[in-house]
């Protein structure tokens, strides 16, 4: 079924059908409903290029990923985000354009994207504390939504973020309530905004209980399994090892668990672990009973919501910035117990 056949079936002009499908306000509401109903019944799917010509849009969303020696954005968390966003785009007839760009070439890349006109909006990933992409995109006038926030950017902009501060403060307090005083933080790269917020929450929670901050119990790096393993291994070999770990990623927490077992200890009995779970699609936190006590926030859901926000901005030029703060749940698993 193509546009011509759908028009002949409805006995309407192709222009009227196209305008009804694309939401033009001059189309009578009864006609619009009739066209949409017929399109659904006949399984009509508009050609993306033709729809773009009708609406003046590219019908595509850009995801520009920085290639960095310090931080790798293409990871399982990004995959879940794209899965959620992609479902939203597909429903609205949009495609995804992914570009990999070196850190120092990002400004040129964004200007090139605008000049080519091959996307209608951008999702910004992995914001830093002072992220130069936000003022640049604001200047260019290209609709965008940031997945996360940039604490040192004072411009108004659209963002969707998890409440990392509340999640990690609550997790630290949970361990303190179990009697733990030697609590280690194995964090992401702390020039990234989410990791900075997590560290500050951890430090504040300890300070509020009168516990002196020990830099030897704080590590930050790319959130890999081997980083978690090496960090936990080294700390457990110390003179005053931690009795609990607060970890920024499920993948990193798996490395922490490996180090605990290698040391002849039992996770949950001898050493407690809380991780930020992220509710990854392919890496579930156990089945009936969670393996890890975790601060859980669905990245797939975040992707879907960020996509909805961006499509709203595209459809409504000049609308004020949209913001959404998602709360994380504290899920109790078998990885935590009273301090020994």
């Amino acid at each position: 079924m193509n546009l011509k056949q759908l028009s002949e079936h409805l006995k309407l002009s192709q222009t009227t059908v196209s305008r009804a499908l694309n939401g033009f306000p001059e189309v009578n509401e009864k006609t619009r409903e009739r066209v949409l109903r017929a399109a659904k019944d006949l399984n009509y799917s508009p050609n993306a290029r033709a729809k773009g010509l009708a609406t003046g849009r590219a019908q595509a969303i850009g995801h520009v990923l920085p290639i960095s020696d310090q931080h790798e954005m293409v990871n399982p968390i990004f995959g879940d985000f794209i899965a959620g966003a992609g479902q939203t785009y597909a429903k609205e007839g949009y495609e995804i354009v992914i570009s990999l760009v070196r850190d120092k070439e990002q400004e040129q890349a964004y200007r090139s994207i605008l000049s080519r006109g091959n996307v209608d909006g951008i999702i910004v990933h992995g914001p830093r504390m002072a992220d130069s992409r936000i003022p640049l995109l604001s200047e260019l006038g290209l609709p965008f939504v940031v997945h996360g926030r940039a604490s040192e950017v004072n411009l108004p902009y659209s963002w969707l973020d998890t409440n990392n501060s509340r999640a990690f403060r609550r997790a630290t307090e949970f361990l303190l309530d179990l009697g733990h005083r030697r609590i280690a933080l194995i964090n992401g790269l702390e020039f990234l905004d989410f990791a900075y917020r997590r560290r500050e929450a951890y430090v504040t929670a300890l300070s509020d209980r009168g516990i002196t901050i020990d830099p030897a119990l704080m590590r930050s790096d790319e959130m890999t399994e081997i980083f978690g393993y090496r960090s936990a291994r080294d700390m457990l070999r110390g003179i005053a090892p931690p009795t609990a770990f607060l970890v920024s990623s499920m993948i990193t927490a798996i490395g922490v668990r490996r180090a605990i077992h290698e040391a002849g200890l039992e996770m949950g009995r001898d050493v407690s672990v809380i991780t930020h779970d992220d509710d990854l699609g392919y890496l579930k936190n156990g089945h009936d009973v969670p393996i890890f006590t975790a601060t859980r926030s669905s990245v797939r859901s975040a992707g879907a919501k960020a996509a909805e926000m961006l499509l709203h901005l595209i459809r409504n030029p000049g609308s004020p910035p949209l913001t959404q703060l998602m709360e994380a749940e504290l899920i109790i698993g078998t990885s935590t117990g009273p301090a020994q």
Side-chain angles (χ1 to χ4, degrees):
M1 175 66 66
N2 58 33
L3 181 64
K4 181 180 178 182
Q5 292 168 327
L6 180 61
S7 301
E8 289 173 349
H9 172 80
L10 290 165
K11 295 182 171 54
L12 295 171
S13 71
Q14 291 185 46
T15 300
T16 298
V17 173
S18 176
R19 288 177 176 272
L21 290 169
N22 290 302
F24 282 80
E26 60 266 29
V27 178
N28 180 278
E29 190 59 35
K30 288 185 178 180
T31 300
R32 186 192 322 282
E33 290 176 1
R34 180 177 164 229
V35 170
L36 293 174
R37 186 166 56 250
K40 182 178 180 181
D41 292 344
L42 297 171
N43 199 28
Y44 169 77
S45 179
N47 179 279
R49 184 171 296 177
K51 187 174 181 181
L53 291 172
T55 61
R57 297 178 185 146
Q59 296 300 128
I61 302 297
H63 291 255
V64 180
L65 304 183
I67 302 173
S68 172
D69 295 334
Q70 294 177 292
H71 180 50
E72 178 57 65
M73 276 302 307
V74 182
N75 55 38
I77 295 172
F78 173 73
D80 258 33
F81 184 93
I82 285 292
Q87 289 178 339
T88 300
Y89 298 149
K91 289 177 185 176
E92 302 298 329
Y94 278 77
E95 297 179 347
I96 299 174
V97 177
I98 297 177
S99 303
L100 300 178
V101 180
R102 296 202 174 276
D103 275 343
K104 296 179 181 179
E105 299 171 0
Q106 286 193 76
E107 179 173 345
Q108 179 184 346
Y110 283 118
R111 292 188 184 279
S112 177
I113 287 169
L114 180 65
S115 65
R116 292 198 307 270
N118 63 335
V119 301
D120 298 315
I122 294 282
I123 298 285
V124 176
H125 296 275
R128 302 187 176 209
M129 300 290 294
D131 200 303
S132 61
R133 294 173 294 176
I134 295 172
L136 173 63
L137 287 168
S138 297
E139 173 197 331
L140 295 176
L142 190 63
F144 70 97
V145 171
V146 180
H147 180 211
R149 285 176 285 175
S151 298
E152 295 177 7
V153 174
N154 296 320
L155 294 171
Y157 61 93
S158 295
W159 54 263
L160 177 140
D161 197 11
T162 298
N163 194 337
N164 289 288
S165 297
R166 183 176 295 175
F168 269 58
R169 178 163 186 149
R170 188 179 179 193
T172 307
E173 290 172 344
F174 181 82
L175 291 171
L176 289 167
D177 290 342
L178 288 172
H180 295 280
R181 295 297 177 265
R182 297 283 293 167
I183 302 171
L185 173 67
I186 300 183
N187 202 8
L189 292 162
E190 290 175 353
F191 60 76
L192 297 173
D193 196 86
F194 78 87
Y196 168 79
R197 291 177 187 273
R198 292 176 183 181
R199 184 192 69 190
E200 290 298 294
Y202 159 85
V203 168
T204 299
L206 293 179
S207 298
D208 286 352
R209 298 285 184 98
I211 297 174
T212 302
I213 307 304
D214 185 352
L217 295 182
M218 299 171 66
R219 300 284 178 91
S220 69
D221 207 331
E222 190 75 37
M223 296 186 297
T224 61
E225 192 274 348
I226 194 66
F227 164 58
Y229 167 73
R230 288 173 177 167
S231 298
R233 178 198 62 190
D234 295 346
M235 290 182 188
L236 289 170
R237 288 175 177 175
I239 296 172
T243 63
F245 289 91
L246 181 55
V247 188
S248 262
S249 163
M250 171 77 85
I251 297 167
T252 309
I254 291 172
V256 172
R257 180 176 64 174
R258 178 159 70 100
I260 291 170
H261 289 170
E262 189 178 273
L265 303 171
E266 184 177 331
M267 185 175 71
R269 184 194 67 189
D270 303 309
V271 182
S272 289
V273 178
I274 296 183
T275 182
H276 187 70
D277 174 20
D278 282 321
D279 193 22
L280 296 178
Y282 86 104
L283 189 61
K284 293 297 183 184
N285 185 13
H287 297 285
D288 297 329
V289 178
I291 297 169
F292 290 100
T293 296
T295 55
R296 174 176 294 175
S297 178
S298 170
V299 177
R300 187 170 297 223
S301 176
K305 291 176 181 178
E308 290 168 3
M309 291 167 65
L310 183 55
L311 293 177
H312 174 85
L313 294 172
I314 291 168
R315 295 191 196 100
N316 300 276
S319 63
L322 303 174
T323 62
Q324 185 170 350
L325 188 61
M326 299 173 63
E327 295 295 339
E329 302 175 82
L330 182 62
I331 306 298
I332 308 303
T334 61
S335 67
T336 49
Q340 296 297 313

